[in-house]
Amino acid sequence: MTARPLNATAASLLGFLHEGPKTGWDLVATAQDRIGKFWSLTTSQVYRELAAMETAGLIVAGEKGPRDRKPYSLTDAGRRAFADWIVREPGPENIRYPLLLTVAFGGHLPPERLAEMLATHRVAHEQRLAEYEELAALDGVDPYFGATLDFGVLYERAVLDWFDRVGDRLTGPNPKGDTPSEDGVHNDLEAHNDLERESGR
């Protein structure tokens, strides 16, 4: 049994290994395809967790194949660790949406720049919604994967509805009645330039 609590990324990799042996490369591709839209992980994270889980005896590496890639398989300890993890309370969600952080301080942006950002992100969400709907329409979709797809579809529709609601309100006349944050933008740019000069860049 591992000496440290099983984190969500490691547990996800164990979950995929229930389907059969996979190399690190396979696991990266599978994770990006299956959970990448709602759970971020990097290639370096995957390989770091694989090394830690192999040391802990949760997985075992097979013989190296093409390009020196090793297939990993679950051990009995790995199955038990995953079983313990999957029944735990998942905990609250933590939204980290960079655009929302920018919008929170949008009064410091020229309205046309904020409008440009909103338009760019809207296109991305429209494309993602189309992808989800296409996947959901396929025959024989695993019901558990289908449930996550349903969430994705409803989430993307909600985000697009949010764009409809806030677009004109945020990129139109300044709600304070002033010229749209020109002084604030100027001061922010000056402060940024001062920091650049101080850092010697």
Side-chain angles (χ1 to χ4, degrees):
M1 184 67 67
T2 182
R4 61 171 182 160
L6 197 63
N7 62 55
T9 297
S12 298
L13 301 178
L14 292 180
F16 294 135
L17 287 174
H18 277 73
E19 301 168 3
K22 296 182 187 296
T23 67
W25 181 265
D26 294 331
L27 287 165
V28 170
T30 300
Q32 290 176 344
D33 182 56
R34 302 264 288 276
I35 64 174
K37 295 294 193 299
F38 59 86
W39 189 263
S40 63
L41 73 170
T42 64
T43 299
S44 61
Q45 282 179 306
V46 169
Y47 282 97
R48 183 168 61 247
E49 294 300 339
L50 287 174
M53 291 192 295
E54 184 178 12
T55 299
L58 303 183
I59 58 175
V60 61
E63 295 293 327
K64 290 183 179 180
R67 301 183 182 179
D68 287 336
R69 292 174 182 167
K70 298 182 294 185
Y72 292 93
S73 301
L74 278 174
T75 64
D76 289 341
R79 292 181 184 276
R80 289 194 298 270
F82 181 81
D84 290 340
W85 175 83
I86 196 64
V87 297
R88 95 282 177 234
E89 168 56 43
E93 74 276 10
N94 181 21
I95 298 176
R96 295 176 64 88
Y97 186 9
L99 176 64
L100 283 182
L101 189 58
T102 298
V103 168
F105 298 100
H108 299 275
L109 278 171
E112 61 274 12
R113 177 57 180 145
L114 182 57
E116 180 185 358
M117 291 179 179
L118 291 171
T120 298
H121 282 257
R122 183 189 181 95
V123 169
H125 283 279
E126 289 172 341
Q127 292 173 342
R128 195 170 298 160
L129 174 60
E131 292 173 6
Y132 287 163
E133 290 178 332
E134 183 177 354
L135 286 172
L138 295 176
D139 293 331
V141 174
D142 176 87
Y144 303 103
F145 181 54
T148 61
L149 278 177
D150 286 344
F151 179 91
V153 168
L154 294 173
Y155 171 80
E156 296 301 336
R157 289 175 179 171
V159 173
L160 290 172
D161 182 59
W162 175 77
F163 281 116
D164 291 338
R165 289 170 180 265
V166 304
D168 292 338
R169 184 170 67 193
L170 294 182
T171 60
N174 190 302
K176 296 180 181 179
D178 304 323
T179 301
S181 302
E182 289 179 357
D183 291 339
V185 173
H186 176 75
N187 291 337
D188 286 345
L189 290 175
E190 284 297 312
H192 174 74
N193 291 336
D194 289 341
L195 289 173
E196 290 285 308
R197 286 191 290 270
E198 290 174 6
S199 63
R201 296 180 187 174

